[in-house]
Amino acid sequence: MSLSDDRIKDRFSEWLRDLARHMARSGRYCSWRVIQIELRFMQGIREAATCFSDPSIRNELDGLCREAQKRGGPIFMSPARSESGLPAPGC
């Protein structure tokens, strides 16, 4: 892989993370996992499988999701409900 290829890959990864941040701020997602699923399986971006391996980006996205939902934005995927009717852990 050449230096040019590395730069392209780095730029693509940064673009993908910026897209994920935008999605998190929308209030439509409850966690980084849901964003990853949307990008990877619904949008067909295979690189999303490895783009979120860093815990710091995961924490950042989860925080952005929480803040956006506090503002009352729409939620794309409603949190799963446990048998008690309360949201399941993780969302």
Side-chain angles (χ1 to χ4, degrees):
M1 188 176 277
S2 71
L3 183 58
S4 178
D5 291 340
D6 287 341
R7 287 183 187 155
I8 291 169
K9 186 177 177 183
D10 289 345
R11 281 166 123 188
F12 180 76
S13 292
E14 191 56 39
W15 172 83
L16 192 55
R17 289 181 181 132
D18 286 344
L19 176 59
R21 288 179 185 105
H22 175 76
M23 293 168 72
R25 288 184 189 108
S26 75
R28 297 173 61 192
Y29 303 89
C30 67
S31 74
W32 72 267
R33 287 179 181 91
V34 178
I35 292 170
Q36 182 185 38
I37 290 167
E38 172 70 20
L39 291 171
R40 185 174 179 200
F41 297 108
M42 305 305 285
Q43 301 299 323
I45 303 173
R46 293 181 311 202
E47 295 82 1
T50 58
C51 187
F52 306 112
S53 60
D54 181 6
S56 65
I57 189 69
R58 292 176 179 185
N59 291 334
E60 178 185 356
L61 292 172
D62 282 346
L64 291 171
C65 288
R66 280 190 302 273
E67 288 301 314
Q69 288 182 358
K70 284 180 188 176
R71 289 192 317 265
I75 299 174
F76 177 72
M77 269 185 121
S78 298
R81 299 285 175 180
S82 66
E83 290 180 24
S84 67
L86 298 174
C91 283

